[in-house]
Amino acid sequence: MTTETSTTDRTPEATSRPNGAAPVIGLAEVSKWYGNVVAVNDVSFDIGPGITGLLGPNGAGKSTLLHMMGGLLRASSGAVSILGEPAAGNPEVYRKLGIVLEREAVYGSLSGWDFVRMNAKLHGLADPDAATRRAIEQVDMGHAQDRLTGGYSKGMKQRIKIAAAIVHDPQVLILDEPFNGADPRQRLHMIDMLRAMARAGRTVVFSSHILEEMERLGDRVLVIVSGRLAASGDFRAIRRLMVDRPHTFLVDSTDNRRFAQALVGDAAVTGVELEGDRLMVRTNDYTRFTLEAPRIAQGAGITVRELAPSDESLESVFEYLVAGVRGGAGEAS
Amino acid sequence: MIPLIAGVTLRQVGRQRRMTMLILLGLVPVLISLLFRLTVEPIGNDYIQFSTGILATFVVPLVLPLTALLIGTSVLGQDIEEGTVAYLLAKPLARWKVIVAKVIAGWCLTYAVVLLSIVGSGGIVLFGEDAISMVPAFVIASAGGSLAYIVVFVALSLRFSRSLIIGLAYVFVWEALLAQFISGVRFLSVSAYTVGIADGLTDVEMEILDGTLAFAPAIILLVVLVAVGTWYSVRALTRYQIAERV
């Protein structure tokens, strides 16, 4: 498996592929715009078997990309393929593809069983009852299969939607924010199920704006920011990329002025700022700074009351990645 | 596939509150007819005059299009609005089957309401009269009218997000208002086709219908409208894209 990590938006292979074989999902120079608004901007990547996560803030273009991968939305330019076939305008592709959209849409007047069975029949399956039973078991919804889906909780709707999407045992499964509304137990169950599909050689692509979900599930991660591919690689590489960016720490100690003087000499520290009682320290080496700062404090006889990164929100991480993309940044691994 | 999609649609739309309202609307001419029968002592061809008036100027131009509008814009429009259309589009399924299923479902529901109106009001007023033969004429004609309206409103729901408002404008401004002043409007009016077909199917002399479309052009225009409308809907659904929407 390739674990290449890059902050460029051009053709970082998200996975390896056999010699000359078409990727399971392939995007080549794909853009999507609505009038003057660019939702996806010149994105290229390939996805192979296993689990791939699309990580990015809300409005980054993840859903637009998934809709295009799922053939429900046409690219304004570029090509999207599923198993070597064009994704859009090609209903036959759904024999091998299942898709779960973010919207909470179910036929509320149907029971869970009838809803999944309807999907099985629309796929033209030979034994829709057996397929329905298997899919409902897979999402652990047997206990509620006879209730109307209109009365389901958000998490239950999500699971019955997944059952409907996997009823034909697709080779590729695309899920848009699948964990929204799921409680921790449901979330773990879903993760286990998707992992089992990946082990069976299936291709699972999901989107999320939550880093922890990527950590648990995303073997490979594509970071989407402002409609562009900001980075790709395995989760550890992506996290390293996020950690190794410049950080600002907010420090509170028994003597901030002396502590600031002591820190200035350290190679990991790129700047200090003392404003009244507030000490802000900038570093470009997160790991080294968090190891060295306590030692420096101890050496100077200073007690550190608080040392916390001030910009650890995912948004600030994405801001950094966006700056990298706009600056045409190179590698970061 | 077609019966499956049509069945789910019947269940989905048939359970809506608007169906109760439409059934009540369909019962209005029945109640008026009942009042007429119970309170008026008709002279001569008053039965025919009254029944023609109810069927040709109330049921066909009002009950039929309003029912078809509310049902036709929701058989597929509701799927689009709620996002369930994805379950139909993300299937290895020819788009024409979806459109045909939706039209059949909408047609069944609309026709059920209109049938109640026509048979109820016509039967009450003309029971025991020779002119009762005009009732089956309207029954047959309104089958064609229901189909044409449903096709138009399904197409409208695929083209416009505010299809209900546009449909209301079509029914009330175009068909009900302009048709009274501009005779050419009848060539582009489904209710005019319906009345023209009904008139052609019965020997009963319905004076009120003088000047309506003749039977043959009414049939031809209706068939053309159904064919073009269906073709347009299939094409629109084939090109339909589900945009990101949360």
Side-chain angles (χ1 to χ4, degrees):
Chain A
M1 183 178 75
T2 305
T3 55
E4 184 180 343
T5 303
S6 163
T7 53
T8 65
D9 62 335
R10 293 305 315 274
T11 330
E13 296 258 327
T15 182
S16 58
R17 65 165 112 147
N19 293 342
V24 177
I25 299 174
L27 273 78
E29 297 170 359
V30 169
S31 295
K32 179 71 188 178
W33 53 84
Y34 301 97
N36 290 330
V37 179
V38 180
V40 170
N41 191 357
D42 194 23
V43 170
S44 299
F45 57 75
D46 291 344
I47 292 175
I51 301 179
T52 300
L54 256 60
L55 176 68
N58 287 326
K62 305 186 299 293
S63 289
T64 304
L65 275 169
L66 290 181
H67 278 70
M68 287 194 285
M69 288 182 211
L72 298 172
L73 195 59
R74 282 185 173 79
S76 303
S77 70
V80 183
S81 66
I82 296 275
L83 299 162
E85 294 178 38
N90 180 16
E92 285 303 306
V93 87
Y94 297 110
R95 293 195 190 284
K96 298 166 190 164
L97 169 67
I99 182 161
V100 182
L101 300 182
E102 190 181 2
R103 287 185 76 182
E104 240 182 89
V106 287
Y107 288 104
S109 60
L110 297 182
S111 67
W113 172 271
D114 287 342
F115 174 63
V116 179
R117 190 171 182 275
M118 179 196 86
N119 281 274
K121 290 185 83 173
L122 288 173
H123 275 291
L125 302 183
D127 189 349
D129 288 337
T132 302
R133 200 170 302 114
R134 179 189 53 77
I136 287 179
E137 269 171 26
Q138 259 183 287
V139 298
D140 192 23
M141 280 291 287
H143 62 285
Q145 65 179 25
D146 296 325
R147 283 169 48 193
L148 294 182
T149 56
Y152 280 2
S153 69
K154 197 171 180 184
M156 289 165 83
K157 280 182 186 166
Q158 196 63 17
R159 282 189 289 161
I160 210 72
K161 279 163 57 186
I162 294 175
I166 60 173
V167 73
H168 59 305
D169 193 19
Q171 204 171 330
V172 183
L173 180 63
I174 293 172
L175 309 103
D176 194 3
E177 300 278 356
F179 303 108
N180 276 2
D183 63 35
R185 194 189 67 83
Q186 292 168 345
R187 203 172 285 222
L188 283 176
H189 183 268
M190 244 190 265
I191 287 171
D192 286 347
M193 189 198 80
L194 296 176
R195 284 218 169 281
M197 285 185 72
R199 277 196 302 275
R202 305 288 189 257
T203 301
V204 177
V205 185
F206 76 103
S207 70
S208 177
H209 59 280
I210 298 169
L211 203 56
E212 288 71 27
E213 287 176 357
M214 286 293 150
E215 190 167 14
R216 285 182 169 187
L217 195 57
D219 295 334
R220 290 175 295 275
V221 178
L222 304 172
V223 183
I224 309 295
V225 182
S226 301
R228 308 188 81 170
L229 182 60
S232 70
D234 71 4
F235 179 77
R236 283 183 301 280
I238 294 293
R239 191 166 59 182
R240 198 163 53 241
L241 179 75
M242 292 173 173
V243 165
D244 288 349
R245 69 196 167 91
H247 286 267
T248 302
F249 281 82
L250 196 62
V251 182
D252 183 25
S253 70
T254 48
D255 190 339
N256 281 350
R257 186 169 295 278
R258 216 148 52 77
F259 193 30
Q261 286 168 349
L263 284 170
V264 165
D266 191 82
V269 176
T270 55
V272 293
E273 210 173 295
L274 197 59
E275 273 181 35
D277 291 343
R278 282 160 52 94
L279 172 59
M280 309 274 278
V281 182
R282 284 187 295 279
T283 175
N284 55 11
D285 190 337
Y286 184 99
T287 314
R288 184 189 151 101
F289 175 74
T290 49
L291 287 173
E292 288 299 317
R295 282 191 203 135
I296 293 169
Q298 199 174 21
I302 296 163
T303 304
V304 177
R305 286 193 284 257
E306 189 183 351
L307 191 142
S310 66
D311 55 352
E312 272 307 272
S313 71
L314 202 53
E315 299 302 323
S316 68
V317 172
F318 288 131
E319 270 173 32
Y320 167 68
L321 290 173
V322 174
V325 169
R326 285 186 184 142
E331 88 302 339
S333 74
Chain B
M1 296 300 165
I2 292 173
L4 174 69
I5 300 169
V8 171
T9 308
L10 282 174
R11 205 161 156 172
Q12 189 188 5
V13 179
R15 287 187 173 201
Q16 290 178 349
R17 197 173 294 170
R18 66 177 63 180
M19 276 312 293
T20 314
M21 284 166 51
L22 291 173
I23 290 168
L24 291 174
L25 175 69
L27 283 172
V28 170
V30 180
L31 290 174
I32 294 172
S33 301
L34 196 63
L35 279 174
F36 172 82
R37 190 77 202 212
L38 293 175
T39 57
V40 179
E41 197 60 51
I43 305 162
N45 66 352
D46 279 359
Y47 287 120
I48 300 172
Q49 289 294 333
F50 180 82
S51 213
T52 312
I54 279 280
L55 295 178
T57 64
F58 189 76
V59 176
V60 172
L62 189 72
V63 176
L64 170 57
L66 266 185
T67 307
L69 173 64
L70 289 175
I71 292 170
T73 51
S74 61
V75 281
L76 189 54
Q78 194 182 343
D79 280 304
I80 291 170
E81 182 67 26
E82 294 178 358
T84 45
V85 71
Y87 299 112
L88 302 174
L89 295 183
K91 295 289 181 297
L93 192 64
R95 303 308 185 223
W96 69 264
K97 290 183 180 175
V98 177
I99 294 297
V100 168
K102 293 292 182 182
V103 166
I104 288 174
W107 187 24
C108 288
L109 290 169
T110 304
Y111 194 43
V113 173
V114 174
L115 212 55
L116 169 77
S117 236
I118 293 172
V119 175
S121 64
I124 287 169
V125 177
L126 298 172
F127 184 73
E129 303 289 327
D130 291 342
I132 190 95
S133 68
M134 67 187 272
V135 174
F138 272 96
V139 165
I140 294 168
S142 63
S146 302
L147 178 63
Y149 271 125
I150 285 294
V151 166
V152 167
F153 294 134
V154 166
L156 217 56
S157 70
L158 269 164
R159 178 67 183 81
F160 302 103
S161 56
R162 297 186 184 280
S163 55
L164 193 64
I165 294 168
I166 295 166
L168 277 172
Y170 169 72
V171 170
F172 285 110
V173 179
W174 181 264
E175 294 222 335
L177 194 65
L178 292 181
Q180 286 183 5
F181 306 110
I182 309 166
S183 67
V185 167
R186 65 198 166 130
F187 291 102
L188 287 169
S189 160
V190 177
S191 60
Y193 305 161
T194 310
V195 172
I197 293 168
D199 193 24
L201 287 174
T202 179
D203 292 333
V204 179
E205 195 59 45
M206 297 185 282
E207 290 166 24
I208 199 169
L209 303 185
D210 287 350
T212 56
L213 274 177
F215 181 74
I219 284 274
I220 291 166
L221 287 168
L222 189 133
V223 169
V224 168
L225 182 63
V226 169
V228 171
T230 307
W231 169 81
Y232 175 83
S233 292
V234 172
R235 182 170 162 273
L237 191 65
T238 305
R239 295 177 175 195
Y240 188 77
Q241 300 185 69
I242 299 179
E244 179 187 0
R245 188 177 159 185
V246 180

